[in-house]
């Protein structure tokens, strides 16, 4: 299979003939349009829609043949939402299990305000923080992406201590990144930032976050009213990547 760039948004109609197949496309149409400048595809017996990221392709698949191997000259990262990640096996496609994330949902919150928590505009501090997240599954942002999100006021935090990146949706609010500098960990800064966000910015009935199953942030989320939902995201990696056996 050859990686090809989409030239016209009308070409996305190619997805329609694959709609009834096994897929991890959870109604991503608008997302594909938002990322059209970085949108690619591969088509063989299977179809792959690819969003180009720094060092890998974010991968959405539509599978007809579970033994058609991925190309080995690029890195492909995919996620599948499931209640039983241990039952998932896509080795025939060339995917290996990389890590598991789990979803938490806010069940209760309390009024809280801290004047130290502000809209954060320090792109260098944010970039430094995001670069501590996993190279493949951490959904790192480029400096240009960070600057654009700063313009949209999508980061709050305490200067030089930590930040939270959020997204306000039509029906739910999402926490995308949550970071505390190592110098300020275990001192309550993370809880202050999170509680301020929940009380003053998040306003939807549904507030969700996905985090690594072994993340140090789990205790903070639970202390601030989040509950685990026993819903998981199996992160898969394929092709060429660091640490491959």
């Amino acid at each position: 299979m050859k990686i090809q760039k989409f030239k016209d948004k009308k070409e996305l109609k190619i997805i329609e003939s694959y709609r009834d197949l096994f897929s991890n496309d959870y109604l991503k149409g608008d997302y594909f349009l938002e990322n059209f400048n970085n949108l690619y595809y591969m088509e063989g017996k299977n179809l792959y829609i690819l969003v180009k990221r720094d060092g890998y392709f974010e991968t959405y698949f539509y599978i007809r043949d579970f033994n058609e191997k991925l190309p080995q000259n690029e890195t492909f990262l995919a996620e599948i939402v499931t209640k039983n990640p241990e039952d998932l096996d896509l080795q025939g496609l060339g995917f290996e299990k990389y890590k598991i994330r789990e979803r938490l949902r806010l069940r209760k919150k309390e009024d809280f305000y801290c004047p130290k928590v502000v809209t954060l505009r320090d792109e260098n501090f944010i970039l430094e923080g995001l670069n501590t997240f996993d190279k493949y599954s951490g959904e790192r942002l480029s400096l240009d992406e960070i600057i654009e999100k700063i313009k949209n006021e999508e980061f709050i935090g305490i200067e030089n201590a930590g930040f939270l990146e959020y997204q306000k949706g039509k029906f739910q609010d999402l926490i995308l990144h949550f970071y505390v500098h190592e110098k300020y960990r275990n001192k309550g800064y993370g809880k202050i930032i999170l509680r301020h966000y929940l009380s003053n910015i998040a306003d939807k009935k549904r507030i969700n976050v996905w985090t690594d199953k072994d993340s140090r942030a789990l205790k903070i989320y639970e202390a601030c009213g989040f509950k685990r939902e026993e819903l998981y995201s199996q992160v898969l990696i394929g092709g060429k990547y660091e640490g491959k056996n």
Side-chain angles (χ1 to χ4, degrees):
M1 288 182 287
K2 181 181 178 181
I3 297 176
Q4 303 180 69
K5 194 171 191 319
F6 280 102
K7 298 178 181 178
D8 190 298
K9 293 178 180 178
K10 293 180 180 178
E11 293 176 340
L12 282 168
K13 290 182 178 179
I14 191 175
I15 296 173
E16 296 306 317
S17 60
Y18 290 85
R19 275 294 181 202
D20 295 331
L21 301 178
F22 178 76
S23 175
N24 66 336
D25 172 4
Y26 307 111
L27 302 176
K28 287 285 186 176
D30 289 343
Y31 180 74
F32 293 155
L33 291 174
E34 291 168 6
N35 291 275
F36 190 78
N37 290 338
N38 295 313
L39 201 64
Y40 296 75
Y41 70 96
M42 297 187 299
E43 187 178 23
K45 295 178 181 178
N46 303 323
L47 174 67
Y48 295 87
I49 305 297
L50 310 169
V51 182
K52 187 171 181 58
R53 298 300 184 194
D54 184 15
Y56 68 94
F57 283 99
E58 182 182 326
T59 305
Y60 299 90
F61 50 70
Y62 312 80
I63 306 302
R64 181 175 286 121
D65 183 347
F66 283 85
N67 292 304
E68 184 180 47
K69 293 284 188 182
L70 288 164
Q72 296 300 301
N73 59 337
E74 298 287 353
T75 306
F76 303 94
L77 199 80
E79 293 193 46
I80 298 181
V81 176
T82 174
K83 288 193 173 184
N84 299 295
E86 63 277 1
D87 295 339
L88 193 64
D89 184 0
L90 294 180
Q91 288 186 328
L93 299 171
F95 279 115
E96 300 288 340
K97 293 180 179 180
Y98 187 62
K99 66 169 54 182
I100 296 175
R101 304 201 298 169
E102 64 177 300
R103 191 171 78 176
L104 293 84
R105 177 173 293 183
L106 186 70
R107 295 303 184 187
K108 62 178 181 179
K109 64 178 178 179
E110 58 186 27
D111 291 338
F112 179 84
Y113 176 79
C114 178
K116 290 184 179 180
V117 180
V118 297
T119 299
L120 215 58
R121 305 186 186 279
D122 185 345
E123 65 265 25
N124 292 318
F125 176 66
I126 293 171
L127 180 63
E128 176 188 340
L130 291 179
N131 282 342
T132 67
F133 285 73
D134 186 86
K135 177 178 180 179
Y136 296 120
S137 65
E139 299 180 350
R140 296 178 180 180
L141 301 173
S142 68
L143 185 58
D144 287 342
E145 289 174 319
I146 291 170
I147 291 172
E148 185 63 29
K149 285 176 173 286
I150 287 174
K151 290 179 182 177
N152 295 329
E153 299 188 343
E154 295 177 24
F155 294 97
I156 64 163
I158 298 175
E159 296 286 348
N160 301 315
F163 63 81
L164 183 150
E165 180 198 353
Y166 63 91
Q167 181 182 81
K168 297 185 74 64
K170 187 175 181 180
F171 302 108
Q172 66 177 340
D173 289 335
L174 293 172
I175 297 171
L176 302 181
H177 288 101
F178 183 29
Y179 167 78
V180 177
H181 190 281
E182 60 183 358
K183 181 180 176 181
Y184 295 93
R185 289 173 190 163
N186 301 313
K187 296 181 179 181
Y189 285 87
K191 190 178 291 186
I192 289 171
I193 294 170
L194 181 57
R195 290 176 67 196
H196 182 97
Y197 162 76
L198 295 173
S199 184
N200 301 282
I201 297 173
D203 56 8
K204 300 295 187 300
K205 185 175 181 180
R206 179 180 296 180
I207 303 169
N208 293 336
V209 60
W210 287 95
T211 189
D212 289 354
K213 196 175 180 182
D214 57 354
S215 171
R216 66 170 67 94
L218 279 168
K219 290 183 179 180
I220 299 177
Y221 286 126
E222 291 179 315
C224 291
F226 283 86
K227 299 293 183 184
R228 300 184 184 192
E229 291 194 292
E230 296 185 1
L231 186 65
Y232 304 96
S233 173
Q234 175 66 66
V235 182
L236 304 166
I237 194 165
K240 175 182 70 173
Y241 55 91
E242 291 181 10
K244 184 174 182 179
N245 294 327

